[in-house]
């Protein structure tokens, strides 16, 4: 079974630039998550989708972060403009039921 | 919302000894408690989970216990091996409305050969 696919794996941008990350969940998984993991900390939920609808985006900094899952499968997470404190690993995950499966993550460095 | 506290933040044990990591949670509606292992530069991977209708679950050298009354759960690793060295995260969630998982801050386990 293929896992959660993410790209790009690594990205370095200057502050105030924009970046977009893409995620393809495990086939058949209706629920998709974006987590932010800052070095040395646990994953923090940014947004949760159920099919193409948003279930929880209470911790998404909506002034600079946006996410969509238009057809209920792939998802993109965008940051514009980026700040230094956005440097982190952005983990996409999907689930059916409670068990969450993570992708390898997209490592973002903002300089 | 849910808040998960995890202790200790770092743990060093001798190979063959046991390791115990403890977590507490705040939302009594949470009913799903997984543990993830994350090796350096890799994704978190589920190693064991427990649901609120079960007090203990075991899988070879790994066990998890849950005390719903006290709102805490623990990971026990016996006969530790160097390959157990990693960061371990607990999480809690799945309560009313299928609330998403909230993760602890992680425990860096070092197994010394």
């Amino acid at each position: 079974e293929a896992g959660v696919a993410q790209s790009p794996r690594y990205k370095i941008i200057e502050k105030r630039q924009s970046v977009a990350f893409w995620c393809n969940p495990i086939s058949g998984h209706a629920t998709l998550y974006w987590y932010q993991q800052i070095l040395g900390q646990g994953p923090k939920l940014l947004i949760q989708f159920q099919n193409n609808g948003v279930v929880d985006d209470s911790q998404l900094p909506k002034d600079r972060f946006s996410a969509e899952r238009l057809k209920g499968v792939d998802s993109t997470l965008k940051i514009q403009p980026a700040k230094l404190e956005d440097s982190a690993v952005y983990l996409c995950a999907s689930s059916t039921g409670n068990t969450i499966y993570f992708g390898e993550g997209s490592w973002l460095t903002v300089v | 919302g849910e808040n998960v506290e995890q202790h200790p933040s770092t743990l060093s044990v001798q190979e063959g000894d046991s390791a115990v990591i403890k977590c507490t949670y705040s939302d009594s509606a949470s009913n799903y408690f997984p543990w993830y292992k994350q090796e350096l530069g890799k994704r978190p991977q589920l190693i064991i989970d427990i649901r609120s209708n079960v007090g203990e679950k075991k899988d070879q050298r790994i066990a998890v216990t849950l005390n719903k009354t006290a709102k805490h759960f623990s990971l026990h690793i016996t006969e530790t091996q160097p390959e157990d060295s990693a960061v371990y995260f607990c999480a809690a969630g799945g309560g009313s409305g299928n609330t998403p998982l909230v993760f602890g801050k992680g425990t860096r386990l070092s197994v010394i050969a």
Side-chain angles (χ1 to χ4, degrees):
Chain A
E1 178 183 271
V4 177
Q6 290 188 243
S7 68
R9 289 295 318 277
Y10 306 96
K11 192 77 176 177
I12 301 173
I13 62 172
E14 294 182 350
K15 59 183 179 185
R16 291 186 290 273
Q17 286 188 324
S18 63
V19 64
F21 302 116
W22 170 84
C23 172
N24 180 247
I26 294 173
S27 177
H29 283 195
T31 309
L32 184 147
Y33 312 81
W34 284 100
Y35 281 86
Q36 180 193 57
Q37 186 175 24
I38 292 172
L39 190 65
Q41 297 183 22
K44 176 186 131 183
L45 181 70
L46 293 175
I47 189 166
Q48 176 185 351
F49 291 96
Q50 181 75 18
N51 296 309
N52 60 351
V54 175
V55 174
D56 186 335
D57 63 355
S58 57
Q59 298 194 81
L60 186 74
K62 298 180 186 66
D63 57 334
R64 298 182 302 104
F65 286 64
S66 64
E68 59 183 15
R69 193 184 184 198
L70 291 175
K71 295 183 179 178
V73 180
D74 294 3
S75 177
T76 55
L77 175 71
K78 295 179 182 177
I79 308 173
Q80 180 179 18
K83 292 186 175 181
L84 296 177
E85 58 260 36
D86 298 332
S87 295
V89 180
Y90 290 86
L91 293 162
C92 181
S94 68
S95 71
T96 176
N98 287 127
T99 304
I100 289 180
Y101 300 90
F102 286 93
E104 295 287 354
S106 292
W107 294 63
L108 175 65
T109 301
V110 182
V111 297
Chain B
E2 179 64 272
N3 183 50
V4 176
E5 299 284 339
Q6 183 172 347
H7 299 281
S9 56
T10 59
L11 179 60
S12 291
V13 299
Q14 292 289 329
E15 182 178 0
D17 287 352
S18 295
V20 180
I21 303 170
K22 299 183 179 182
C23 288
T24 60
Y25 62 99
S26 61
D27 187 354
S28 56
S30 289
N31 58 18
Y32 177 63
F33 308 92
W35 287 87
Y36 284 80
K37 175 183 180 182
Q38 188 174 32
E39 296 175 1
L40 191 63
K42 301 281 183 72
R43 62 183 163 185
Q45 292 202 294
L46 179 71
I47 56 171
I48 195 167
D49 57 12
I50 192 167
R51 298 180 193 276
S52 58
N53 57 346
V54 176
E56 183 174 356
K57 184 176 176 180
K58 227 177 164 182
D59 182 3
Q60 299 182 346
R61 298 186 296 109
I62 295 172
V64 57
T65 58
L66 171 65
N67 183 327
K68 280 222 77 179
T69 304
K71 295 207 278 277
H72 68 70
F73 57 112
S74 300
L75 177 71
H76 304 252
I77 306 173
T78 58
E79 300 170 28
T80 53
Q81 300 166 5
E83 52 264 38
D84 294 329
S85 296
V87 179
Y88 291 81
F89 294 98
C90 63
S96 54
N98 195 23
T99 52
L101 291 178
V102 175
F103 285 79
K105 292 190 173 180
T107 296
R108 181 174 298 281
L109 173 65
S110 299
V111 180
I112 303 162

